[in-house]
Amino acid sequence: MGKKKPRPRRSFTPEFKAEIVELCRRGDRSVGQIAKDFDLTETAVRDWVKQAEVDAGERDGLTSSEREELAALRRENRRLREDVEVLKRATAFFAKETR
């Protein structure tokens, strides 16, 4: 058996995700059937439904806005750590020069 070629990463608009979540909440079709109909993975659809429940306060977890804020803070933290590392190296360099 040959290995399946991985699917390229796709991105979807919040509106599209909301429509898919609404279809799942109606209960006409299973999550698996909706995923198949729209050529999506079941895991992605289940994750969207779960995130919508968190955002609506129906489930515990980080809301979408909290996730975005956390990602931004992590990026800033990483950048600041890199800046500190550069300053440490510059300090060590100039300390050697002055001796």
Side-chain angles (χ1 to χ4, degrees), residues 43-76:
T43 304
V45 174
R46 289 186 194 285
D47 286 346
W48 296 348
V49 170
K50 183 174 146 184
Q51 189 60 51
E53 290 172 353
V54 170
D55 291 345
E58 301 167 4
R59 180 184 274 221
D60 288 339
L62 293 176
T63 65
S64 295
S65 61
E66 289 171 333
R67 284 181 185 279
E68 289 171 12
E69 181 182 12
L70 181 59
L73 289 171
R74 285 181 173 162
R75 278 192 303 272
E76 181 182 8

